[in-house]
Amino acid sequence: LETQTKNPTSTKISIESNPTSTPTLPSLSSCTFNTSHSPDRQKLIINEIAWMGTTESANNEWIELRNISGAALNISSWQLIDQGEQIKIIFKEGSIIPTNSFYLLERTDDNSVPSVTADLIYTGAISNTSEGLRLFDGQCNLIDEALANPSWSAGSSNERKTMERDLSGFGWHTSSIVNGTPK
């Protein structure tokens, strides 16, 4: 027999002895794109987005995350969701980003960025307009976001230049390099 009690700061599980019972863990939270919270941006950011694809194919989309926490970061059970929730990535157990490192997500296969190995392959397309990406931690706290309202604030579909973070803060600019700078 299992009982579960939740409060705003913790989840407590107690299991009574019963030889036929199997303990179960609380299920993962299922985050949704809609939230009224502001991004935290203290540990991990969405650093670069190839929302337009690459010169090889418009389907070669990719997303780069950057660990800015100053320590290795375990993102197991964190989620990255697009506005229409066609992209809903839940990072698997053991997903760790080393200190000051990048994490590359490539669409459909590991060929979106042929010269760099993806850390994760995802499915679903990033829309060129009226779109957004939100990153949530394991408790569905908003960590970072990038929004196209109605258009992306940076990047060039015609030139295949990505949208990347400014060095001086959390703003965006268009990369000066065709196909961007993954990892």
Side-chain angles (χ1 to χ4, degrees):
L1 178 66
E2 178 179 295
T3 59
Q4 184 173 349
T5 308
K6 289 188 177 186
N7 69 39
T9 58
S10 69
T11 300
K12 180 181 179 183
I13 300 173
S14 60
I15 301 172
E16 295 178 15
S17 179
N18 182 338
T20 60
S21 71
T22 303
T24 57
L25 297 175
S27 60
L28 285 175
S29 297
S30 182
C31 306
T32 60
F33 184 84
N34 293 326
T35 181
S36 59
H37 296 270
S38 297
D40 184 327
R41 293 192 181 119
Q42 304 237 349
K43 297 178 182 179
L44 188 66
I45 59 172
I46 301 168
N47 195 60
E48 189 171 4
I49 306 168
W51 55 263
M52 73 300 297
T54 66
T55 53
E56 294 291 319
S57 171
N59 294 324
N60 284 351
E61 298 171 346
W62 54 269
I63 304 162
E64 177 188 77
L65 306 178
R66 182 175 178 199
N67 177 353
I68 61 170
S69 72
L73 186 60
N74 184 343
I75 61 168
S76 302
S77 78
W78 288 35
Q79 298 177 43
L80 182 69
I81 303 170
D82 82 316
Q83 185 169 324
E85 296 189 13
Q86 293 90 10
I87 299 172
K88 191 159 190 162
I89 300 162
I90 300 175
F91 295 93
K92 66 182 181 180
E93 187 65 33
S95 297
I96 297 174
I97 305 175
T99 307
N100 300 320
S101 293
F102 300 98
Y103 191 94
L104 182 63
L105 299 93
E106 293 185 42
R107 178 181 172 197
T108 309
D109 56 39
D110 198 17
N111 296 322
S112 295
V113 183
S115 59
V116 182
T117 302
D119 294 295
L120 185 138
I121 306 297
Y122 71 91
T123 57
I126 301 171
S127 296
N128 288 0
T129 59
S130 301
E131 177 65 288
L133 293 170
R134 286 195 167 138
L135 178 65
F136 297 91
D137 68 12
Q139 291 76 44
C140 293
N141 297 308
L142 181 61
I143 300 301
D144 196 16
E145 65 185 0
L147 304 173
N149 189 16
S151 300
W152 292 103
S153 58
S156 170
S157 184
N158 293 336
E159 298 176 294
R160 299 293 190 231
K161 292 183 177 180
T162 60
M163 181 169 106
E164 63 184 12
R165 289 285 183 175
D166 295 334
L167 292 175
S168 60
F170 297 116
W172 295 99
H173 67 267
T174 300
S175 175
S176 61
I177 298 172
V178 173
N179 295 330
T181 59
K183 283 197 155 184

